[in-house]
Amino acid sequence: MAIQVGIAAYRELSASDQKFALIDARPSDHFQKHHLLSASNIPLEVISERLPTVVPSKVTLILLCDDHDGGATQAVSLLEAGGYQNLALLDGGIPAWQAAGGEVFSGVRVLSQAFGEYVEHKCATPSITTSKP
């Protein structure tokens, strides 16, 4: 049985040193439109097959989120059947996160792009522009 993690508890968890996986169980096109910053998208249809690669330890805390439409709850059932033991649901899903003032991001590879831009700025990385022929 998964526990419910409220928005305040999620913020505390994110700020802590505790290891956990934030998995967005929505379809990829929904994820690309808006998602939590550190979420990994593993759609419900493939979560049983892909999660063992992303989270091989069955005791790691896995926090599942969705559009508060039941997808994360379905994912919990699938993952419990696969032997995962430490499952949690983001209470109210992404809509609750947004209602509480939480920021969402669009696109994919958001963290890697932000890191690259940070390094470029901080290290004054030279850049070139292209010119049209």
Side-chain angles (χ1 to χ4, degrees):
M1 184 87 186
I3 61 168
Q4 294 283 329
V5 173
I7 301 304
Y10 169 65
R11 287 185 175 154
E12 288 176 20
L13 179 62
S14 294
S16 76
D17 291 333
Q18 183 176 346
K19 186 187 309 185
F20 73 100
L22 177 60
I23 304 297
D24 188 323
R26 299 175 303 146
S28 298
D29 60 331
H30 292 226
F31 178 83
Q32 290 178 11
K33 290 178 185 171
H34 67 280
H35 57 84
L36 278 65
L37 181 61
S38 59
S40 294
N41 181 224
I42 306 179
L44 180 62
E45 306 81 51
V46 295
I47 201 163
S48 295
E49 296 85 36
R50 290 192 189 161
L51 192 66
T53 303
V54 178
V55 185
S57 172
K58 306 257 183 182
V59 295
T60 298
L61 173 59
I62 299 172
L63 178 58
L64 294 144
C65 64
D66 61 8
D67 283 326
H68 197 54
D69 58 3
T73 302
Q74 290 177 16
V76 165
S77 296
L78 293 170
L79 297 176
E80 284 176 337
Y84 284 91
Q85 303 166 22
N86 198 2
L87 302 170
L89 295 165
L90 182 62
D91 192 16
I94 296 166
W97 172 253
Q98 289 179 286
E103 190 172 3
V104 293
F105 297 83
S106 63
V108 293
R109 296 180 209 78
V110 174
L111 282 175
S112 59
Q113 180 179 350
F115 176 71
E117 290 171 358
Y118 171 81
V119 169
E120 179 182 28
H121 174 74
K122 195 75 168 166
C123 298
T125 305
S127 62
I128 60 171
T129 57
T130 59
S131 60
K132 294 182 180 182

